[in-house]
Amino acid sequence: MEPTKLYSLPKLPYGYKDLEPQISEEQLRIHHEKHHQAYVTGANTILEKLDKARKEGAELDVKATLKELSFNIGGHLLHSLFWANMAPAGKGGGTQGGVLGDAITKEFGSFERFKKEFTQAAVSVEGSGWAALTFCKQTGRPIIMQIEKHNVNVYPTYAILLDLDLWEHAYYIDYKNLRPKFVEAFWNIVNWAEVTKRLESVLK
Ligand code: MN
């Protein structure tokens, strides 16, 4: 039997300076190397704790452990999606046609209306959380999801096409308390090609 695996921090698909001026090198580096890494480490620590307890037949606080595991795995997965759905300005931003543009226009009426609703979801996340565009296969609808922390209000099994980190640690160095400024900047670095790829793989 192969040894069981742990989580690892994915490399960014661009350099730390490449999202400037929307996200500074300092902001991106600390977010990736420190914050995302902390969720990877947190999830792995819990998995190792579970391994150890099972091996020794030791008692566990299962409820508390699973709650913590959900938080850390959620953090790891959402960050991994987030890095990949951004691209340096020039390669990112703008609007999108094709299968994604069609789905968005059909659901929201227009691309602008979608951006407006997503922005409102992002700006109004209570405390720390995320805004995400998901896709529901049952109805064929793209649906916005407003996640609290990394794991609350999630629609189980809906594919995430696009997500945006609204924790203060995502923007405080660059934008201080001005979350709306960060959300506005984000639209300039959305990697629509990646978002489209995710939708295509759901539709397959
Ligand atoms: Mn984050």
Side-chain angles (χ1 to χ4, degrees), residues 3-21:
T4 50
K5 288 181 183 168
L6 292 172
Y7 294 105
S8 58
L9 185 70
K11 279 209 165 80
L12 294 183
Y14 35 74
Y16 284 113
K17 285 182 183 175
D18 292 349
L19 298 183
E20 293 186 340

Side-chain angles (χ1 to χ4, degrees), residues 31 79 165 169:
H31 194 180
H79 280 96
D165 191 339
H169 73 219

Side-chain angles (χ1 to χ4, degrees), residues 31 35-36 39 79 82-83 130 150 165 167 169-170:
H31 194 180
H35 293 283
H36 185 173
Y39 301 120
H79 280 96
F82 178 53
W83 309 133
W130 299 74
H150 298 309
D165 191 339
W167 283 59
H169 73 219

Side-chain angles (χ1 to χ4, degrees), residues 36-52:
H36 185 173
Q37 179 65 57
Y39 301 120
V40 171
T41 305
N44 288 339
T45 302
I46 297 160
L47 291 177
E48 286 172 330
K49 190 175 99 176
L50 287 167
D51 286 344
K52 187 165 178 278

Side-chain angles (χ1 to χ4, degrees), residues 26-78:
E26 186 189 6
Q27 177 74 76
L28 186 57
R29 188 182 286 279
I30 199 168
H31 194 180
H32 180 250
E33 288 181 350
K34 302 294 180 194
H35 293 283
H36 185 173
Q37 179 65 57
Y39 301 120
V40 171
T41 305
N44 288 339
T45 302
I46 297 160
L47 291 177
E48 286 172 330
K49 190 175 99 176
L50 287 167
D51 286 344
K52 187 165 178 278
R54 287 163 186 165
K55 207 168 144 191
E56 294 171 355
E59 288 300 321
L60 272 174
D61 184 343
V62 170
K63 183 181 175 186
T65 304
L66 295 184
K67 195 170 173 179
E68 207 186 330
L69 187 60
S70 163
F71 177 81
N72 282 285
I73 292 178
H76 169 50
L77 297 179
L78 289 171

